[in-house]
Amino acid sequence: MRMLKITHTALLITLVTGCASFENKTVSTDELQRMAEINIQANQRVNDAVALVEESYLQASDENFTFYAPKTWKSVQKDIESMHYIVNRFDPSDQGFFGGPSEEKVLASVREVNDRLLQAEQTKAKVIAFLSKPLADIEYLSPKITPTWQRDFAYINKAMNKLISNIETNNASSWQATNRDKLQKKLNELEINIVTAEYYSPLEDKFDQLNQRLIPQSYNRVQQELQNLTTVITSSPRDVIALDDAANLADKYIKSAEHVSSDVDWINKLDKKQREQIVLHYRATLEDFGHKFLGQDLSDLSYKQQVNTFKLELSAMLSEFDTDDETIQVTDNAVALEDVAKDESVINAVLVDIPKDENVINTALVDAPKDENIINTALADASKDESVINTVLVDAAVISATLEGVAIETTQVTTLPTSAVERN
């Protein structure tokens, strides 16, 4: 009973003291205004910090951290959610043990998000530096992946993700290098397989249909070209020009071998009389060409001599044609430069006074001196009247052809090599 009285007395004293203390705590207006300003400043500091880290988070969302730093990015997202939860509960006028989160706790959650974002950036930079080659190869091969290669490509992507995860958790660098080399080897093999399927396989199918015993020489030549193509594929799988050249050359020899195979097979099935007819047909064809294009009788020559004659004659014709063209061009340029009239006003006056009657123009041109230099000068300094210019050009061509003794169409100006004129 005595203990109960003591407890009662102590409680009563506490209540009385508390009430007295409450009555004595009167807050002035200045103090309230100062506390309000402090609360506003605290809110501003929190809002500024949150806005800054949220801006960094939005920018980071476009950095593909889900690929380069997947674990770290998951932590960032969790920290963002936690930060928003704490910020929403923050009240600067109600901080403390029994109140909401303190300003320091809110700012600590913001710093934690920012630290995670920096960690994600560092991980991405490390991954890009360490895996630059395989990452570039994956990007290059992605558009080339067809259903045929999807399984191999999926395995490569899985190995890449595992390697990135190990880099993110800072596993042994020697082990990472070994796995990177294995991944690079798989990528090289896949790329060569894709290029081989595109360039080599279609040609190989044609090559397999050739009969090696029937045409051994042609067969070996095709085989060599296919080997050259294989070398280009393995050494320069991205050199499209070299690949096209090698593939086209191999395809050319395959087609040739197919024709040779057909001819050999056909000849083998003929009797001796029919074989002679083939030889006579080949010779008759060459002899006919000799009469038509060379004006020669090649019937008394062997097949090799006939072919060699064509080579020599055609080479001589081409050489003569090129030489004549160069000579004509140089001569025309020299004449035009040497015979240009010195007095431009006199030339213009003469051209202005040319009659507009086409008959008069034709007569004047036909009766002109046979000096080709004068014709060239007149053409060079012709009037700006389009009808007069056209008439002069056409009739000049007729005169030039007449001087050379060659008949040409008046609707087209044609220049023939000197050798051709002489032969005519």
Side-chain angles (χ1 to χ4, degrees), residues 280-345:
L280 291 175
H281 175 72
Y282 288 157
R283 289 183 61 83
T285 302
L286 287 175
E287 291 166 11
D288 184 51
F289 286 162
H291 284 294
K292 288 182 178 179
F293 298 107
L294 305 181
Q296 297 183 27
D297 183 7
L298 307 179
S299 60
D300 58 340
L301 301 179
S302 66
Y303 173 77
K304 290 184 179 180
Q305 290 173 333
Q306 290 174 341
V307 173
N308 190 48
T309 300
F310 268 102
K311 288 182 180 179
L312 294 175
E313 291 292 334
L314 291 175
S315 297
M317 288 181 181
L318 292 174
S319 177
E320 184 180 4
F321 181 77
D322 293 339
T323 303
D324 290 342
D325 278 351
E326 293 176 2
T327 303
I328 292 171
Q329 174 117 21
V330 172
T331 303
D332 289 344
N333 291 340
V335 171
L337 290 173
E338 292 175 1
D339 295 317
V340 171
K342 299 298 187 296
D343 193 342
E344 184 176 355
S345 61

Side-chain angles (χ1 to χ4, degrees), residues 366-410:
V366 170
D367 294 335
K370 295 300 192 296
D371 188 347
E372 190 173 354
N373 296 336
I374 296 176
I375 297 171
N376 289 335
T377 303
L379 289 174
D381 296 303
S383 170
K384 296 298 187 291
D385 188 336
E386 187 175 354
S387 61
V388 175
I389 293 173
N390 291 335
T391 304
V392 172
L393 287 174
V394 171
D395 290 326
V398 176
I399 295 171
S400 178
T402 304
L403 291 174
E404 296 183 6
V406 179
I408 63 173
E409 296 290 338
T410 58

Side-chain angles (χ1 to χ4, degrees), residues 2 8 12 32 43 86 95 136 144 147 196 208 239 272 297 308 313 327 359 376 385 393 399 401:
R2 185 178 178 183
H8 180 73
L12 182 61
L32 289 174
N43 262 330
I86 294 175
Q95 305 180 53
K144 301 178 181 296
T196 300
D208 290 341
D239 190 342
K272 292 182 179 180
D297 183 7
N308 190 48
E313 291 292 334
T327 303
N359 296 330
N376 289 335
D385 188 336
L393 287 174
I399 295 171

